[in-house]
């Protein structure tokens, strides 16, 4: 797999947020983030967008029973090293039980009635193929789910 992509992190998040906001499931969800313009990752834009679509879709789904004015997705840069950035995606949904923290990354495991249990598997495969990582933080930063992503950034 080529690692030579040049994908602007903020632009990709902006595009993905616009896509998700067009869906009925995101009704009332506020997206809060402030990502510096200059962060360039080596993950292809389409794959990075797939990662964010899956994460944001999951967040919207798990916030469906939360009051509309309390539905929030927070995207945060926690740490920035020379070649990796640690990004968190947190929501105000129902969260993840500690005993499910490992299981949710297993193919076919889902708590959604119509889910097939592949969203997080796909995300994991994409991120790992670029030498990145994904995990969960329990309890989540906003009392819901918090996913922690390590993704490669390019030194320009």
């Amino acid at each position: 797999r080529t690692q030579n992509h040049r994908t602007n992190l903020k632009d990709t998040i902006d595009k993905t947020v616009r896509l998700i906001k067009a869906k009925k499931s995101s009704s009332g969800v506020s997206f809060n983030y402030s990502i510096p313009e200059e962060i360039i990752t080596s993950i292809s834009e389409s794959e990075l967008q797939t990662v964010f679509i899956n994460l944001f879709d999951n967040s919207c789904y798990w916030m469906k029973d939360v009051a509309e004015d309390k539905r929030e997705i927070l995207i945060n840069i926690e740490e920035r090293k020379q070649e990796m950035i640690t990004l968190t995606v947190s929501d105000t949904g129902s969260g993840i039980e500690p005993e499910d923290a490992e299981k949710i990354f297993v193919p076919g495991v889902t708590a959604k009635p119509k889910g097939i249990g592949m969203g997080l598997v796909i995300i994991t495969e994409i991120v790992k193929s670029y030498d990145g990582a994904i995990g969960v933080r329990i309890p989540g930063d906003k009392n819901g789910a918090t996913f922690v992503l390590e993704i490669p950034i390019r030194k320009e």
Side-chain angles (χ1 to χ4, degrees):
R1 176 184 295 261
T2 173
Q3 306 283 318
N4 293 330
H5 297 286
R6 296 179 41 87
T7 303
N8 184 297
L9 183 63
K10 181 182 184 306
D11 286 353
T12 305
I13 291 174
D14 287 343
K15 286 177 187 167
T16 311
V17 167
R18 281 197 300 275
L19 271 174
I20 297 291
K21 279 187 166 285
K23 298 174 73 169
K24 215 169 56 194
S25 62
S26 72
S27 166
V29 174
S30 65
F31 288 84
N32 294 321
Y33 59 95
S34 134
I35 306 289
E37 294 279 349
E38 74 276 3
I39 298 175
I40 305 296
T41 175
S42 53
I43 300 176
S44 81
E45 185 176 28
S46 62
E47 288 180 302
L48 192 57
Q49 205 163 20
T50 299
V51 167
F52 290 131
I53 286 171
N54 275 295
L55 286 174
F56 300 167
D57 264 344
N58 280 348
S59 287
C60 289
Y61 178 86
W62 292 110
M63 289 190 291
K64 65 186 188 306
D65 298 328
V66 174
E68 275 205 22
D69 62 338
K70 301 265 192 286
R71 294 179 192 166
E72 180 190 5
I73 295 175
L74 176 67
I75 306 150
N76 209 4
I77 292 176
E78 280 200 344
E79 191 176 3
R80 191 170 168 177
K81 298 185 196 132
Q82 277 199 310
E83 291 164 15
M84 278 287 176
I85 192 163
T86 304
L87 194 73
T88 57
V89 177
S90 303
D91 64 48
T92 54
S94 49
I96 299 164
E97 295 299 326
E99 61 271 17
D100 294 334
E102 299 295 317
K103 280 189 243 166
I104 60 173
F105 294 100
V106 175
V109 173
T110 181
K112 290 183 187 173
K114 293 192 170 112
I116 57 169
M118 288 307 290
L120 292 173
V121 175
I122 292 165
I123 291 173
T124 303
E125 291 302 313
I126 291 171
V127 173
K128 278 187 174 168
S129 71
Y130 288 95
D131 300 320
I134 182 169
V136 292
R137 178 181 297 147
I138 295 174
D141 298 350
K142 300 289 250 162
N143 296 325
T146 294
F147 287 88
V148 181
L149 290 122
E150 297 233 336
I151 56 175
I153 52 174
R154 293 181 66 110
K155 291 190 300 243
E156 296 305 312

